[in-house]
Amino acid sequence: MAAVVAQRIGHGPQRVLVLHGWFGPSVYDGFFDSFDPEQFDIAIVHNSGYGLARGQEPAADITDLAQQHLAVADELGWAAFDVIGHSYGGAAGLRIASLAPHRVGSLVGICPVMPTGFDAIAVENCGATAETGPLYMAAYSKGPDASDGPQMIIAGLDPVLASDSVALHDLVNATFEAMDEDAYKQYFLVWTGASFAQDVVGLNTRSLFLIGEADPFAAVNYVTPTQQSMAPGAVEVQVLPGGHFLTVSGDRAQVATAITDFLTP
């Protein structure tokens, strides 16, 4: 199993590993167009089981995924780099930093999953019940157009996106194009089961958590325990308009500016 670099953007001195979440890499389509190619060297990664790595076996857990990402950085010849991660890509970025803190300069988590996975705070935020897990696991089999398929989950995580039928349709279709049902199910287990909170206690990786104000899951109360457990002042939290798929439902220019301002202080 192996994650792969799907796209390189720019040729600058600042190296950035870009990691996607459960619903795939399409959330980054066109997003980096405004980034200065003279400043940044951006590598967009497809996780094993997705996109260009669709034939690969999915990661066993978040640690396995982070180790695959470190292997990608090794293949690129990057001894040190920054990380941008959306959703569970944020958790993978934190896991990378906890495994190799000397290699990660800065980390940006966009509506990030925390090292506690789908914890009690997330469950309460989302109003999850005993039926939620089985419903989510079965959703892929319902197909892209089903009301109880993945579009149900995407719409629940991002009411702003749900109000745009074209954008919602595009993201759902991109999800089915990017991965099969086995990968979909496995990565649900990967992110919900993330459990490495003790490994980020005192971690001093400079980090920015971008929160969508309409995201019911990765809300401020969900990321705060991790922020407080890391080194004092290591984590900055910003709340921006949009939902969980902030690079799609939010103001892209605003999100990009927040990231570039953080990465190039």
Side-chain angles (χ1 to χ4, degrees), residues 113-193:
V113 171
M114 291 289 98
T116 48
F118 198 53
D119 62 15
I121 296 173
V123 167
E124 184 174 355
N125 284 353
C126 294
T129 68
E131 289 76 37
T132 300
L135 283 172
Y136 280 20
M137 285 285 276
Y140 189 101
S141 67
K142 307 294 185 179
D145 298 321
S147 60
D148 56 351
Q151 70 167 294
M152 166 191 67
I153 304 171
I154 294 171
L157 290 170
D158 197 324
V160 180
L161 180 60
S163 69
D164 183 338
S165 60
V166 173
L168 177 61
H169 179 269
D170 287 348
L171 181 53
V172 171
N173 282 348
T175 296
F176 277 82
E177 291 172 4
M179 62 176 168
D180 62 20
E181 187 175 5
D182 288 342
Y184 169 90
K185 288 181 174 180
Q186 176 58 21
Y187 279 106
F188 176 70
L189 300 177
V190 166
W191 76 260
T192 57

Side-chain angles (χ1 to χ4, degrees), residues 25-221:
S26 72
V27 296
Y28 295 123
D29 287 353
F31 177 70
F32 295 103
D33 290 351
S34 65
F35 283 57
D36 182 359
E38 301 293 331
Q39 174 64 34
F40 295 102
D41 182 357
I42 296 168
I44 299 177
V45 177
H46 285 183
N47 296 336
S48 53
Y50 287 85
L52 295 185
R54 183 166 174 152
Q56 298 289 324
E57 182 180 351
D61 53 32
I62 204 73
T63 298
D64 178 31
L65 183 61
Q67 290 170 335
Q68 291 186 37
H69 293 150
L70 283 167
V72 168
D74 290 343
E75 291 171 4
L76 290 168
W78 292 2
F81 49 90
D82 298 326
V83 177
I84 297 172
H86 171 250
S87 197
Y88 80 60
L94 283 166
R95 192 62 178 131
I96 292 168
S98 72
L99 293 171
H102 59 289
R103 298 189 66 177
V104 180
S106 297
L107 165 67
V108 177
I110 304 170
C111 305
V113 171
M114 291 289 98
T116 48
F118 198 53
D119 62 15
I121 296 173
V123 167
E124 184 174 355
N125 284 353
C126 294
T129 68
E131 289 76 37
T132 300
L135 283 172
Y136 280 20
M137 285 285 276
Y140 189 101
S141 67
K142 307 294 185 179
D145 298 321
S147 60
D148 56 351
Q151 70 167 294
M152 166 191 67
I153 304 171
I154 294 171
L157 290 170
D158 197 324
V160 180
L161 180 60
S163 69
D164 183 338
S165 60
V166 173
L168 177 61
H169 179 269
D170 287 348
L171 181 53
V172 171
N173 282 348
T175 296
F176 277 82
E177 291 172 4
M179 62 176 168
D180 62 20
E181 187 175 5
D182 288 342
Y184 169 90
K185 288 181 174 180
Q186 176 58 21
Y187 279 106
F188 176 70
L189 300 177
V190 166
W191 76 260
T192 57
S195 181
F196 60 98
Q198 289 303 312
D199 295 323
V200 301
V201 173
L203 185 68
N204 64 357
T205 302
R206 184 172 173 269
S207 302
L208 170 65
F209 296 163
L210 291 177
I211 305 302
E213 64 181 3
D215 183 353
F217 163 56
V220 171
N221 68 331

